[in-house]
Amino acid sequence: EAWDASSRQHDVEEVAASGPSEQQQSQQELELYLELASSLCYWCVYPAKAPAAVEQEEGASDAGESDCQRMISAIVAGALPGTSASCSLSGVVAWLERSLPMLPAAVGPMFASALIGSAVPSPIASLESRVLDSGQIFMLRGADARMFESGSWIPLYRDWCDGRSFNALVKGTLHYEGPALLVLKTDQGQVIGAMSTTWAEGHGKFSGAPECFLFSLFPSFTLCRASSRNGNYVYFNSRNKHAPRGLGFGGQLEFWRLWLDADFEDCFVLESDATYGSGSLIPGGSSLQTRFQVSNIEVWACGGEEALKAQAALRERAEGIREQARKVDRAKLVENDFDKEMFFGNTFAASSAAHEKPEDLKEEALARHVNNTRFTF
């Protein structure tokens, strides 16, 4: 296994007592351990980007190597937030099991394929995204079993091709009832987001489920799982004009843990709240609130084909209801002669005139002619 259970018996805290130089060496050892473990898992999922495969395909290594390096840098920054002497190998292993429990899941099948010739698992499909790279996709899948086992991720909304507007985001996620990822990149390069199982209109009220979580992917990896059952998981309001319009996670009204307003201009994160676990989504910000400007926003469906089919069916049903509502049945509005004369008098008079017989029109015209010429000599 990538996270070797025997590493729990090796505690680097004992080295710290020997002196600063040995403590520094222990920090380097921990970073090396994280680099080797995470890169091994990454190469098992993306075998074409492993060093052996890269040597055969020159020129294709730059993107894969940079993605892997960014992933390693984010994991190291998340697992070792400082150079404190309290850092230990057992603590790092505990952090990996808590934050990225599914990261080594691809190692076993790859070794089985190499040793006994079993089928090679399919690599994770790449995404046409301006926010996520392959390493960040791998971290998201490694953070949650449902994410790891999900099939191809389908875009519900991408601001760079669907238009930068809250209405477009609402339209893309409308009636989707599966898990989906909100990912965004700030103008400073940070990558943060949330996973939600609920994308229904909340009309100014919170909804969601305990499976929701918040995350930061760059410059450091942070995972904030739901730690409370107060119900304030997701706030999604586009219709209620008497409540703040936008998309929020955690916290309470006006003080969300992560908030995007309907104009994508007033956006901020809080250091902590009562719904999600502690952790800084944007490192180096204010201890209370950190505002940011959005560079790109995307929403990716992770519920598979069944969730997409259900969304399409609900959309078709809703469109049918709206189309039926547009058609006014006048027979139901006109119950008697008074209503007909009162509300549609001109309409029915014109209709009656249009349906008169030609013979009646000729007789009426002849009578008018006789009256006009009766006293003419």
Side-chain angles (χ1 to χ4, degrees):
E1 297 181 357
W3 313 152
D4 189 359
S6 63
S7 64
R8 297 176 180 276
Q9 301 176 2
H10 177 67
D11 194 341
V12 187
E13 290 179 354
E14 298 176 359
V15 181
S18 301
S21 60
E22 295 179 358
Q23 178 181 339
Q24 183 180 4
Q25 180 65 32
S26 69
Q27 184 79 12
Q28 295 175 353
E29 290 177 355
L30 293 177
E31 293 179 2
L32 179 60
Y33 171 82
L34 287 167
E35 180 178 354
L36 292 175
S38 55
S39 58
L40 172 63
C41 299
Y42 177 85
W43 292 331
C44 287
V45 172
Y46 299 103
K49 298 179 180 181
V54 167
E55 290 178 0
Q56 301 175 0
E57 243 181 276
E58 295 183 0
S61 62
D62 294 343
E65 184 177 358
S66 61
D67 290 355
C68 184
Q69 289 299 324
R70 279 195 294 268
M71 179 196 72
I72 293 172
S73 175
I75 291 177
V76 170
L80 305 173
T83 57
S84 173
S86 61
C87 293
S88 64
L89 189 57
S90 59
V92 168
V93 171
W95 182 90
L96 287 169
E97 292 179 340
R98 182 174 62 253
S99 301
L100 296 164
M102 302 302 297
L103 213 60
V107 177
M110 186 58 68
F111 271 87
S113 175
L115 294 175
I116 62 177
S118 60
V120 179
S122 301
I124 296 175
S126 59
L127 304 179
E128 190 176 353
S129 170
R130 294 186 180 178
V131 178
L132 298 174
D133 61 31
S134 61
Q136 292 163 353
I137 295 170
F138 183 45
M139 285 190 290
L140 284 174
R141 287 183 176 271
D144 185 79
R146 179 184 292 188
M147 295 293 101
F148 187 84
E149 297 169 358
S150 62
S152 299
W153 295 353
I154 307 299
L156 296 177
Y157 170 75
R158 291 174 295 181
D159 64 340
W160 48 274
C161 62
D162 297 320
R164 173 70 72 89
S165 75
F166 188 64
N167 289 336
L169 187 152
V170 173
K171 180 180 178 181
T173 59
L174 186 66
H175 301 303
Y176 187 75
E177 297 183 346
L181 291 163
L182 167 75
V183 293
L184 59 92
K185 180 181 288 184
T186 72
D187 60 346
Q188 300 298 316
Q190 297 102 338
V191 178
I192 62 175
M195 195 285 288
S196 175
T197 57
T198 302
W199 295 91
E201 171 68 39
H203 301 285
K205 296 182 179 180
F206 280 92
S207 59
E211 292 77 19
C212 300
F213 59 82
L214 306 179
F215 56 83
S216 169
L217 300 177
F218 189 80
S220 66
F221 179 80
T222 302
L223 186 69
C224 304
R225 301 187 189 277
S227 58
S228 171
R229 295 185 178 275
N230 61 7
N232 292 3
Y233 303 109
V234 184
Y235 176 94
F236 196 11
N237 177 36
S238 65
R239 299 179 181 177
N240 187 352
K241 297 182 179 180
H242 301 287
R245 295 179 64 248
L247 177 60
F249 295 86
Q252 54 186 326
L253 287 179
E254 306 290 352
F255 295 97
W256 299 270
R257 179 72 173 277
L258 169 62
W259 171 248
L260 302 174
D261 75 321
D263 297 321
F264 297 147
E265 294 180 356
D266 183 20
C267 308
F268 62 82
V269 296
L270 297 182
E271 185 70 18
S272 62
D273 73 300
T275 303
Y276 294 99
S278 61
S280 179
L281 296 177
I282 299 182
S286 169
S287 59
L288 178 61
Q289 184 184 87
T290 302
R291 296 187 177 275
F292 60 88
Q293 295 294 321
V294 175
S295 177
N296 289 112
I297 306 175
E298 298 175 352
V299 179
W300 291 89
C302 309
E305 293 295 330
E306 293 299 324
L308 291 175
K309 291 179 181 179
Q311 182 190 30
L314 289 172
R315 282 181 172 177
E316 184 177 357
R317 179 182 178 185
E319 182 61 28
I321 295 175
R322 284 194 296 268
E323 186 64 26
Q324 185 177 4
R326 294 190 190 103
K327 299 177 180 178
V328 178
D329 188 354
R330 290 184 176 179
K332 294 182 179 180
L333 295 178
V334 183
E335 299 292 344
N336 51 52
D337 292 338
F338 174 80
D339 291 339
K340 182 187 293 185
E341 182 66 26
M342 183 68 181
F343 298 108
F344 301 101
N346 295 333
T347 301
F348 285 102
S351 177
S352 178
H355 289 83
E356 288 184 4
K357 295 180 180 181
E359 294 79 2
D360 296 337
L361 295 176
K362 290 180 180 179
E363 292 180 0
E364 183 178 351
L366 180 59
R368 286 199 301 269
H369 178 71
V370 171
N371 289 334
N372 292 337
T373 60
R374 179 175 299 173
F375 301 100
T376 302
F377 297 94

mmCIF file of all heavy atoms in Angstrom, residues 166 170 198-208 231-256 259:
data_model
loop_
_atom_site.group_PDB
_atom_site.id
_atom_site.type_symbol
_atom_site.label_atom_id
_atom_site.label_comp_id
_atom_site.label_asym_id
_atom_site.label_seq_id
_atom_site.Cartn_x
_atom_site.Cartn_y
_atom_site.Cartn_z
ATOM 1 N N PHE A 166 -25.002 34.630 -13.533
ATOM 2 C CA PHE A 166 -25.591 33.724 -12.557
ATOM 3 C C PHE A 166 -26.770 32.977 -13.162
ATOM 4 O O PHE A 166 -27.006 31.801 -12.848
ATOM 5 C CB PHE A 166 -26.025 34.512 -11.319
ATOM 6 C CG PHE A 166 -26.474 33.648 -10.172
ATOM 7 C CD1 PHE A 166 -25.594 32.792 -9.543
ATOM 8 C CD2 PHE A 166 -27.783 33.699 -9.714
ATOM 9 C CE1 PHE A 166 -26.005 31.991 -8.485
ATOM 10 C CE2 PHE A 166 -28.199 32.919 -8.655
ATOM 11 C CZ PHE A 166 -27.310 32.061 -8.030
ATOM 12 N N VAL A 170 -27.511 28.971 -13.204
ATOM 13 C CA VAL A 170 -28.776 28.389 -12.744
ATOM 14 C C VAL A 170 -29.380 27.510 -13.832
ATOM 15 O O VAL A 170 -29.862 26.398 -13.573
ATOM 16 C CB VAL A 170 -29.758 29.498 -12.334
ATOM 17 C CG1 VAL A 170 -31.132 28.915 -12.029
ATOM 18 C CG2 VAL A 170 -29.233 30.252 -11.117
ATOM 19 N N THR A 198 -26.985 18.871 -3.887
ATOM 20 C CA THR A 198 -28.257 19.559 -4.104
ATOM 21 C C THR A 198 -28.027 20.799 -4.946
ATOM 22 O O THR A 198 -27.197 21.640 -4.601
ATOM 23 C CB THR A 198 -28.901 19.962 -2.760
ATOM 24 O OG1 THR A 198 -29.096 18.788 -1.964
ATOM 25 C CG2 THR A 198 -30.235 20.640 -2.989
ATOM 26 N N TRP A 199 -28.797 20.916 -6.045
ATOM 27 C CA TRP A 199 -28.717 22.088 -6.906
ATOM 28 C C TRP A 199 -30.107 22.639 -7.204
ATOM 29 O O TRP A 199 -30.339 23.260 -8.233
ATOM 30 C CB TRP A 199 -27.985 21.729 -8.205
ATOM 31 C CG TRP A 199 -26.564 21.370 -7.939
ATOM 32 C CD1 TRP A 199 -26.064 20.133 -7.691
ATOM 33 C CD2 TRP A 199 -25.465 22.274 -7.832
ATOM 34 N NE1 TRP A 199 -24.721 20.197 -7.438
ATOM 35 C CE2 TRP A 199 -24.318 21.511 -7.528
ATOM 36 C CE3 TRP A 199 -25.333 23.663 -7.979
ATOM 37 C CZ2 TRP A 199 -23.056 22.077 -7.367
ATOM 38 C CZ3 TRP A 199 -24.079 24.217 -7.821
ATOM 39 C CH2 TRP A 199 -22.962 23.433 -7.513
ATOM 40 N N ALA A 200 -31.037 22.387 -6.280
ATOM 41 C CA ALA A 200 -32.401 22.886 -6.433
ATOM 42 C C ALA A 200 -32.498 24.312 -5.898
ATOM 43 O O ALA A 200 -31.766 24.706 -4.987
ATOM 44 C CB ALA A 200 -33.383 21.976 -5.704
ATOM 45 N N GLU A 201 -33.421 25.067 -6.460
ATOM 46 C CA GLU A 201 -33.675 26.432 -6.006
ATOM 47 C C GLU A 201 -34.136 26.405 -4.555
ATOM 48 O O GLU A 201 -35.085 25.696 -4.191
ATOM 49 C CB GLU A 201 -34.742 27.076 -6.885
ATOM 50 C CG GLU A 201 -35.262 28.406 -6.398
ATOM 51 C CD GLU A 201 -34.199 29.508 -6.473
ATOM 52 O OE1 GLU A 201 -33.434 29.530 -7.448
ATOM 53 O OE2 GLU A 201 -34.158 30.331 -5.543
ATOM 54 N N GLY A 202 -33.461 27.175 -3.705
ATOM 55 C CA GLY A 202 -33.784 27.178 -2.286
ATOM 56 C C GLY A 202 -34.679 28.307 -1.844
ATOM 57 O O GLY A 202 -35.148 28.321 -0.699
ATOM 58 N N HIS A 203 -34.917 29.304 -2.723
ATOM 59 C CA HIS A 203 -35.801 30.433 -2.413
ATOM 60 C C HIS A 203 -35.388 31.143 -1.122
ATOM 61 O O HIS A 203 -36.231 31.547 -0.326
ATOM 62 C CB HIS A 203 -37.258 29.968 -2.317
ATOM 63 C CG HIS A 203 -37.767 29.325 -3.568
ATOM 64 N ND1 HIS A 203 -38.102 30.047 -4.697
ATOM 65 C CD2 HIS A 203 -37.970 28.017 -3.885
ATOM 66 C CE1 HIS A 203 -38.512 29.221 -5.649
ATOM 67 N NE2 HIS A 203 -38.438 27.980 -5.178
ATOM 68 N N GLY A 204 -34.103 31.267 -0.898
ATOM 69 C CA GLY A 204 -33.630 32.003 0.265
ATOM 70 C C GLY A 204 -33.423 31.162 1.502
ATOM 71 O O GLY A 204 -33.177 31.709 2.581
ATOM 72 N N LYS A 205 -33.500 29.835 1.373
ATOM 73 C CA LYS A 205 -33.298 28.952 2.519
ATOM 74 C C LYS A 205 -32.160 27.965 2.228
ATOM 75 O O LYS A 205 -31.849 27.675 1.087
ATOM 76 C CB LYS A 205 -34.585 28.176 2.835
ATOM 77 C CG LYS A 205 -35.734 29.075 3.271
ATOM 78 C CD LYS A 205 -36.956 28.242 3.625
ATOM 79 C CE LYS A 205 -38.101 29.136 4.091
ATOM 80 N NZ LYS A 205 -39.305 28.341 4.446
ATOM 81 N N PHE A 206 -31.560 27.440 3.303
ATOM 82 C CA PHE A 206 -30.481 26.469 3.164
ATOM 83 C C PHE A 206 -31.049 25.081 2.850
ATOM 84 O O PHE A 206 -32.182 24.753 3.200
ATOM 85 C CB PHE A 206 -29.661 26.392 4.449
ATOM 86 C CG PHE A 206 -28.654 27.493 4.605
ATOM 87 C CD1 PHE A 206 -28.985 28.667 5.277
ATOM 88 C CD2 PHE A 206 -27.376 27.362 4.094
ATOM 89 C CE1 PHE A 206 -28.061 29.686 5.434
ATOM 90 C CE2 PHE A 206 -26.433 28.371 4.244
ATOM 91 C CZ PHE A 206 -26.779 29.537 4.909
ATOM 92 N N SER A 207 -30.221 24.269 2.194
ATOM 93 C CA SER A 207 -30.574 22.881 1.917
ATOM 94 C C SER A 207 -29.273 22.077 1.883
ATOM 95 O O SER A 207 -28.265 22.507 2.435
ATOM 96 C CB SER A 207 -31.333 22.777 0.580
ATOM 97 O OG SER A 207 -30.533 23.272 -0.487
ATOM 98 N N GLY A 208 -29.285 20.921 1.232
ATOM 99 C CA GLY A 208 -28.072 20.131 1.111
ATOM 100 C C GLY A 208 -28.073 18.913 2.013
ATOM 101 O O GLY A 208 -29.087 18.563 2.629
ATOM 102 N N GLY A 231 -27.895 21.743 8.963
ATOM 103 C CA GLY A 231 -28.634 21.916 7.720
ATOM 104 C C GLY A 231 -28.157 23.048 6.838
ATOM 105 O O GLY A 231 -28.652 23.208 5.726
ATOM 106 N N ASN A 232 -27.193 23.836 7.296
ATOM 107 C CA ASN A 232 -26.722 24.980 6.496
ATOM 108 C C ASN A 232 -25.601 24.557 5.543
ATOM 109 O O ASN A 232 -24.504 25.108 5.573
ATOM 110 C CB ASN A 232 -26.241 26.112 7.417
ATOM 111 C CG ASN A 232 -27.372 26.744 8.181
ATOM 112 O OD1 ASN A 232 -28.518 26.320 8.082
ATOM 113 N ND2 ASN A 232 -27.056 27.743 8.965
ATOM 114 N N TYR A 233 -25.914 23.597 4.691
ATOM 115 C CA TYR A 233 -24.882 23.079 3.789
ATOM 116 C C TYR A 233 -24.773 23.931 2.524
ATOM 117 O O TYR A 233 -23.677 24.325 2.131
ATOM 118 C CB TYR A 233 -25.203 21.632 3.416
ATOM 119 C CG TYR A 233 -25.335 20.718 4.599
ATOM 120 C CD1 TYR A 233 -26.578 20.211 4.989
ATOM 121 C CD2 TYR A 233 -24.218 20.353 5.350
ATOM 122 C CE1 TYR A 233 -26.704 19.375 6.082
ATOM 123 C CE2 TYR A 233 -24.332 19.509 6.445
ATOM 124 C CZ TYR A 233 -25.584 19.028 6.811
ATOM 125 O OH TYR A 233 -25.708 18.215 7.902
ATOM 126 N N VAL A 234 -25.913 24.185 1.880
ATOM 127 C CA VAL A 234 -25.912 24.904 0.605
ATOM 128 C C VAL A 234 -27.018 25.953 0.616
ATOM 129 O O VAL A 234 -28.138 25.690 1.075
ATOM 130 C CB VAL A 234 -26.144 23.946 -0.586
ATOM 131 C CG1 VAL A 234 -26.027 24.702 -1.908
ATOM 132 C CG2 VAL A 234 -25.174 22.787 -0.542
ATOM 133 N N TYR A 235 -26.678 27.139 0.091
ATOM 134 C CA TYR A 235 -27.650 28.220 -0.077
ATOM 135 C C TYR A 235 -27.654 28.588 -1.555
ATOM 136 O O TYR A 235 -26.640 29.038 -2.092
ATOM 137 C CB TYR A 235 -27.273 29.423 0.789
ATOM 138 C CG TYR A 235 -28.162 30.640 0.629
ATOM 139 C CD1 TYR A 235 -29.247 30.844 1.478
ATOM 140 C CD2 TYR A 235 -27.916 31.579 -0.361
ATOM 141 C CE1 TYR A 235 -30.062 31.958 1.338
ATOM 142 C CE2 TYR A 235 -28.722 32.704 -0.506
ATOM 143 C CZ TYR A 235 -29.793 32.888 0.347
ATOM 144 O OH TYR A 235 -30.605 34.002 0.195
ATOM 145 N N PHE A 236 -28.806 28.370 -2.231
ATOM 146 C CA PHE A 236 -28.898 28.596 -3.680
ATOM 147 C C PHE A 236 -30.182 29.376 -3.948
ATOM 148 O O PHE A 236 -31.270 28.819 -3.928
ATOM 149 C CB PHE A 236 -28.912 27.249 -4.401
ATOM 150 C CG PHE A 236 -28.620 27.342 -5.877
ATOM 151 C CD1 PHE A 236 -28.153 28.504 -6.460
ATOM 152 C CD2 PHE A 236 -28.801 26.235 -6.692
ATOM 153 C CE1 PHE A 236 -27.873 28.571 -7.810
ATOM 154 C CE2 PHE A 236 -28.517 26.288 -8.048
ATOM 155 C CZ PHE A 236 -28.056 27.457 -8.600
ATOM 156 N N ASN A 237 -30.049 30.662 -4.194
ATOM 157 C CA ASN A 237 -31.227 31.510 -4.374
ATOM 158 C C ASN A 237 -31.079 32.377 -5.615
ATOM 159 O O ASN A 237 -30.146 33.172 -5.730
ATOM 160 C CB ASN A 237 -31.436 32.411 -3.151
ATOM 161 C CG ASN A 237 -32.624 33.355 -3.332
ATOM 162 O OD1 ASN A 237 -33.631 32.994 -3.927
ATOM 163 N ND2 ASN A 237 -32.495 34.567 -2.839
ATOM 164 N N SER A 238 -32.019 32.214 -6.550
ATOM 165 C CA SER A 238 -32.036 33.047 -7.757
ATOM 166 C C SER A 238 -33.360 33.773 -7.938
ATOM 167 O O SER A 238 -33.458 34.660 -8.788
ATOM 168 C CB SER A 238 -31.765 32.183 -8.994
ATOM 169 O OG SER A 238 -32.815 31.244 -9.199
ATOM 170 N N ARG A 239 -34.383 33.436 -7.152
ATOM 171 C CA ARG A 239 -35.730 33.966 -7.385
ATOM 172 C C ARG A 239 -36.236 34.890 -6.288
ATOM 173 O O ARG A 239 -36.931 35.862 -6.563
ATOM 174 C CB ARG A 239 -36.718 32.808 -7.573
ATOM 175 C CG ARG A 239 -36.387 31.926 -8.775
ATOM 176 C CD ARG A 239 -37.386 30.795 -8.900
ATOM 177 N NE ARG A 239 -37.058 29.929 -10.038
ATOM 178 C CZ ARG A 239 -37.739 28.836 -10.346
ATOM 179 N NH1 ARG A 239 -38.770 28.457 -9.583
ATOM 180 N NH2 ARG A 239 -37.385 28.108 -11.385
ATOM 181 N N ASN A 240 -35.917 34.577 -5.056
ATOM 182 C CA ASN A 240 -36.426 35.368 -3.934
ATOM 183 C C ASN A 240 -35.666 36.693 -3.858
ATOM 184 O O ASN A 240 -34.513 36.736 -3.427
ATOM 185 C CB ASN A 240 -36.286 34.584 -2.631
ATOM 186 C CG ASN A 240 -36.947 35.293 -1.467
ATOM 187 O OD1 ASN A 240 -37.395 36.433 -1.576
ATOM 188 N ND2 ASN A 240 -37.010 34.611 -0.332
ATOM 189 N N LYS A 241 -36.330 37.772 -4.271
ATOM 190 C CA LYS A 241 -35.686 39.085 -4.283
ATOM 191 C C LYS A 241 -35.602 39.718 -2.906
ATOM 192 O O LYS A 241 -34.956 40.748 -2.731
ATOM 193 C CB LYS A 241 -36.438 40.015 -5.239
ATOM 194 C CG LYS A 241 -36.414 39.541 -6.684
ATOM 195 C CD LYS A 241 -37.138 40.518 -7.603
ATOM 196 C CE LYS A 241 -37.093 40.036 -9.050
ATOM 197 N NZ LYS A 241 -37.801 40.973 -9.966
ATOM 198 N N HIS A 242 -36.257 39.114 -1.924
ATOM 199 C CA HIS A 242 -36.217 39.633 -0.558
ATOM 200 C C HIS A 242 -35.114 38.980 0.272
ATOM 201 O O HIS A 242 -35.002 39.247 1.470
ATOM 202 C CB HIS A 242 -37.576 39.429 0.116
ATOM 203 C CG HIS A 242 -38.712 40.103 -0.607
ATOM 204 N ND1 HIS A 242 -38.898 41.471 -0.591
ATOM 205 C CD2 HIS A 242 -39.693 39.593 -1.391
ATOM 206 C CE1 HIS A 242 -39.958 41.777 -1.312
ATOM 207 N NE2 HIS A 242 -40.462 40.653 -1.804
ATOM 208 N N ALA A 243 -34.322 38.131 -0.358
ATOM 209 C CA ALA A 243 -33.188 37.480 0.301
ATOM 210 C C ALA A 243 -31.970 37.625 -0.615
ATOM 211 O O ALA A 243 -32.116 37.846 -1.817
ATOM 212 C CB ALA A 243 -33.494 36.006 0.572
ATOM 213 N N PRO A 244 -30.762 37.521 -0.070
ATOM 214 C CA PRO A 244 -29.564 37.639 -0.914
ATOM 215 C C PRO A 244 -29.583 36.613 -2.047
ATOM 216 O O PRO A 244 -29.838 35.428 -1.823
ATOM 217 C CB PRO A 244 -28.417 37.372 0.064
ATOM 218 C CG PRO A 244 -28.969 37.713 1.407
ATOM 219 C CD PRO A 244 -30.414 37.345 1.364
ATOM 220 N N ARG A 245 -29.296 37.065 -3.258
ATOM 221 C CA ARG A 245 -29.271 36.191 -4.418
ATOM 222 C C ARG A 245 -27.833 35.764 -4.701
ATOM 223 O O ARG A 245 -26.943 36.601 -4.830
ATOM 224 C CB ARG A 245 -29.866 36.897 -5.650
ATOM 225 C CG ARG A 245 -31.340 37.215 -5.504
ATOM 226 C CD ARG A 245 -31.888 37.939 -6.732
ATOM 227 N NE ARG A 245 -31.829 37.102 -7.920
ATOM 228 C CZ ARG A 245 -31.050 37.313 -8.962
ATOM 229 N NH1 ARG A 245 -30.207 38.354 -8.957
ATOM 230 N NH2 ARG A 245 -31.063 36.520 -10.016
ATOM 231 N N GLY A 246 -27.637 34.455 -4.771
ATOM 232 C CA GLY A 246 -26.304 33.942 -5.033
ATOM 233 C C GLY A 246 -26.179 32.495 -4.593
ATOM 234 O O GLY A 246 -27.180 31.807 -4.345
ATOM 235 N N LEU A 247 -24.940 32.035 -4.504
ATOM 236 C CA LEU A 247 -24.636 30.657 -4.140
ATOM 237 C C LEU A 247 -23.666 30.670 -2.965
ATOM 238 O O LEU A 247 -22.591 31.272 -3.039
ATOM 239 C CB LEU A 247 -24.011 29.925 -5.335
ATOM 240 C CG LEU A 247 -23.564 28.480 -5.127
ATOM 241 C CD1 LEU A 247 -24.741 27.595 -4.721
ATOM 242 C CD2 LEU A 247 -22.942 27.947 -6.424
ATOM 243 N N GLY A 248 -24.072 30.022 -1.869
ATOM 244 C CA GLY A 248 -23.254 30.016 -0.664
ATOM 245 C C GLY A 248 -23.186 28.634 -0.032
ATOM 246 O O GLY A 248 -24.049 27.786 -0.254
ATOM 247 N N PHE A 249 -22.162 28.433 0.790
ATOM 248 C CA PHE A 249 -21.974 27.156 1.485
ATOM 249 C C PHE A 249 -21.601 27.440 2.933
ATOM 250 O O PHE A 249 -20.701 28.240 3.213
ATOM 251 C CB PHE A 249 -20.866 26.335 0.818
ATOM 252 C CG PHE A 249 -21.178 25.907 -0.584
ATOM 253 C CD1 PHE A 249 -20.904 26.749 -1.644
ATOM 254 C CD2 PHE A 249 -21.751 24.675 -0.840
ATOM 255 C CE1 PHE A 249 -21.185 26.368 -2.947
ATOM 256 C CE2 PHE A 249 -22.043 24.279 -2.136
ATOM 257 C CZ PHE A 249 -21.758 25.130 -3.193
ATOM 258 N N GLY A 250 -22.301 26.757 3.862
ATOM 259 C CA GLY A 250 -21.979 26.872 5.274
ATOM 260 C C GLY A 250 -22.341 28.222 5.859
ATOM 261 O O GLY A 250 -22.919 29.096 5.207
ATOM 262 N N GLY A 251 -21.994 28.382 7.141
ATOM 263 C CA GLY A 251 -22.242 29.646 7.828
ATOM 264 C C GLY A 251 -23.725 29.925 8.025
ATOM 265 O O GLY A 251 -24.518 29.024 8.300
ATOM 266 N N GLN A 252 -24.091 31.194 7.841
ATOM 267 C CA GLN A 252 -25.472 31.631 7.951
ATOM 268 C C GLN A 252 -25.681 32.810 7.018
ATOM 269 O O GLN A 252 -24.752 33.249 6.345
ATOM 270 C CB GLN A 252 -25.783 32.025 9.398
ATOM 271 C CG GLN A 252 -24.830 33.060 9.969
ATOM 272 C CD GLN A 252 -25.076 33.327 11.435
ATOM 273 O OE1 GLN A 252 -26.205 33.288 11.890
ATOM 274 N NE2 GLN A 252 -24.012 33.598 12.180
ATOM 275 N N LEU A 253 -26.918 33.298 6.939
ATOM 276 C CA LEU A 253 -27.226 34.402 6.033
ATOM 277 C C LEU A 253 -26.275 35.571 6.264
ATOM 278 O O LEU A 253 -26.044 35.985 7.406
ATOM 279 C CB LEU A 253 -28.670 34.858 6.223
ATOM 280 C CG LEU A 253 -29.756 33.912 5.681
ATOM 281 C CD1 LEU A 253 -31.137 34.485 5.967
ATOM 282 C CD2 LEU A 253 -29.591 33.679 4.187
ATOM 283 N N GLU A 254 -25.718 36.069 5.156
ATOM 284 C CA GLU A 254 -24.769 37.176 5.136
ATOM 285 C C GLU A 254 -23.372 36.788 5.628
ATOM 286 O O GLU A 254 -22.420 37.553 5.469
ATOM 287 C CB GLU A 254 -25.278 38.367 5.976
ATOM 288 C CG GLU A 254 -26.674 38.846 5.599
ATOM 289 C CD GLU A 254 -26.713 39.542 4.240
ATOM 290 O OE1 GLU A 254 -25.644 39.780 3.662
ATOM 291 O OE2 GLU A 254 -27.824 39.837 3.775
ATOM 292 N N PHE A 255 -23.241 35.599 6.225
ATOM 293 C CA PHE A 255 -21.932 35.161 6.730
ATOM 294 C C PHE A 255 -21.668 33.714 6.308
ATOM 295 O O PHE A 255 -21.458 32.836 7.138
ATOM 296 C CB PHE A 255 -21.873 35.290 8.259
ATOM 297 C CG PHE A 255 -21.967 36.701 8.748
ATOM 298 C CD1 PHE A 255 -23.187 37.216 9.168
ATOM 299 C CD2 PHE A 255 -20.859 37.531 8.759
ATOM 300 C CE1 PHE A 255 -23.296 38.525 9.616
ATOM 301 C CE2 PHE A 255 -20.954 38.833 9.204
ATOM 302 C CZ PHE A 255 -22.175 39.342 9.631
ATOM 303 N N TRP A 256 -21.670 33.474 5.000
ATOM 304 C CA TRP A 256 -21.414 32.146 4.475
ATOM 305 C C TRP A 256 -19.923 31.816 4.557
ATOM 306 O O TRP A 256 -19.073 32.705 4.512
ATOM 307 C CB TRP A 256 -21.870 32.059 3.016
ATOM 308 C CG TRP A 256 -23.326 32.305 2.818
ATOM 309 C CD1 TRP A 256 -24.334 31.379 2.833
ATOM 310 C CD2 TRP A 256 -23.973 33.567 2.566
ATOM 311 N NE1 TRP A 256 -25.552 31.974 2.614
ATOM 312 C CE2 TRP A 256 -25.362 33.320 2.441
ATOM 313 C CE3 TRP A 256 -23.513 34.876 2.425
ATOM 314 C CZ2 TRP A 256 -26.281 34.325 2.189
ATOM 315 C CZ3 TRP A 256 -24.434 35.881 2.178
ATOM 316 C CH2 TRP A 256 -25.795 35.602 2.065
ATOM 317 N N TRP A 259 -18.945 32.219 -0.487
ATOM 318 C CA TRP A 259 -20.073 32.972 -1.051
ATOM 319 C C TRP A 259 -19.735 33.545 -2.417
ATOM 320 O O TRP A 259 -18.669 34.132 -2.626
ATOM 321 C CB TRP A 259 -20.476 34.101 -0.116
ATOM 322 C CG TRP A 259 -21.492 35.058 -0.700
ATOM 323 C CD1 TRP A 259 -21.305 36.364 -1.033
ATOM 324 C CD2 TRP A 259 -22.865 34.769 -0.990
ATOM 325 N NE1 TRP A 259 -22.466 36.907 -1.526
ATOM 326 C CE2 TRP A 259 -23.445 35.950 -1.511
ATOM 327 C CE3 TRP A 259 -23.671 33.634 -0.882
ATOM 328 C CZ2 TRP A 259 -24.782 36.019 -1.907
ATOM 329 C CZ3 TRP A 259 -24.995 33.702 -1.282
ATOM 330 C CH2 TRP A 259 -25.540 34.871 -1.777
#
